[in-house]
């Protein structure tokens, strides 16, 4: 079972990551935001591609859920921390981080 503390620790270990308030959430970013942590610390939203989102939500629907709005259609995906293992969380953060450090897609 992953926790908000695990998310913070793993995200901060990724080179260049900064943490800052983002509306009612906490954002972690490099060049761009790649994950936001809910205020209650129970879930986070990660930036995947739509294809990655589809794969993750099919593979582990108790862990990953597509966000039901325009952001979700762009690949933003909710992770329920209590349902995720630390390894699942790390892999998801590293994937989202890779998108944030690469060139912007237009």
């Amino acid at each position: 079972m992953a926790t908000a503390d695990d998310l913070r620790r793993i995200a901060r270990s990724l080179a260049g990551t900064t943490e800052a308030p983002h509306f009612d959430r906490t954002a972690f970013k490099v060049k761009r935001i790649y994950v936001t942590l809910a205020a209650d610390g129970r879930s986070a939203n990660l930036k995947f591609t739509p294809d990655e989102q589809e794969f993750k939500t099919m593979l582990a629907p108790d862990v990953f859920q597509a966000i039901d709005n325009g952001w979700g259609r762009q690949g933003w995906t909710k992770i329920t921390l209590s349902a995720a293992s630390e390894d699942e969380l790390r892999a998801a953060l590293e994937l989202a981080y890779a998108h944030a450090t690469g060139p912007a897609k237009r």
Side-chain angles (χ1 to χ4, degrees):
M1 175 171 98
T3 66
D5 288 341
D6 293 329
L7 185 144
R8 280 192 166 89
R9 178 178 44 78
I10 295 166
R12 288 177 184 159
S13 76
L14 300 173
T17 295
T18 60
E19 179 179 348
H22 183 72
F23 300 97
D24 63 337
R25 304 176 74 84
T26 302
F28 298 84
K29 71 181 265 185
V30 196
K31 292 180 183 177
R32 292 177 290 283
I33 293 172
Y34 65 93
V35 62
T36 62
L37 178 64
D40 65 8
R42 295 179 183 193
S43 66
N45 295 340
L46 297 146
K47 177 61 171 116
F48 296 144
T49 67
D51 288 343
E52 292 162 348
Q53 178 192 71
E54 181 180 8
F55 178 75
K56 293 277 193 188
T57 59
M58 285 189 330
L59 184 66
D62 56 324
V63 177
F64 299 100
Q65 301 87 39
I67 296 171
D68 188 25
N69 62 23
W71 291 105
R73 289 187 291 280
Q74 294 176 36
W76 282 92
T77 306
K78 176 183 172 183
I79 182 171
T80 302
L81 295 172
S82 64
S85 70
E86 190 174 328
D87 288 341
E88 286 173 313
L89 175 60
R90 178 177 298 281
L93 284 168
E94 289 174 352
L95 181 61
Y97 172 85
H99 295 308
T101 59
K105 294 182 181 178
R106 298 192 192 267

